[in-house]
Amino acid sequence: MSADLHEKTNRYEGMLADALDEAVQAVPDNTHLGHAAADCLEMAESYLDDGRHFKDADDWVNALASFSYGYGWLDAGVRMGLFDVPDDSHLFTM
């Protein structure tokens, strides 16, 4: 069980980091949507940092939860049109 948790946690960490690299804000900064995009990005980055902190503390369950939540924030932003991603990206539900 631990090996599965560790593998999944590491995979989700990589997915979130890659997703953050791919997502580009698609809306103007000084608008309501721009502020929403900034919030989504900040949440995703914060959850990536939190997940890495939990992983370093050997708290794999909370690390996985953090990476998952961060990924969810970013994916929701993509679905709402706040971010552009490559058409061939396998990281997002579009």
Side-chain angles (χ1 to χ4, degrees), residues 1-86:
M1 173 94 155
S2 290
D4 294 335
L5 176 61
H6 292 180
E7 183 278 326
K8 189 171 189 176
T9 302
N10 289 328
R11 184 165 31 98
Y12 273 58
E13 177 184 11
M15 287 172 47
L16 176 53
D18 290 346
L20 281 163
D21 287 340
E22 281 191 10
V24 176
Q25 186 170 320
V27 294
D29 284 333
N30 292 323
T31 65
H32 290 301
L33 292 177
H35 295 297
D39 287 344
C40 286
L41 187 59
E42 180 181 5
M43 293 301 291
E45 290 171 342
S46 294
Y47 275 120
L48 179 62
D49 290 342
D50 290 349
R52 288 177 172 164
H53 168 79
F54 286 127
K55 193 170 124 178
D56 289 343
D58 205 30
D59 185 350
W60 291 85
V61 170
N62 282 317
L64 177 57
S66 293
F67 297 141
S68 298
Y69 285 137
Y71 189 81
W73 272 93
L74 198 57
D75 193 48
V78 170
R79 300 256 333 197
M80 289 186 288
L82 302 177
F83 301 101
D84 287 328
V85 295

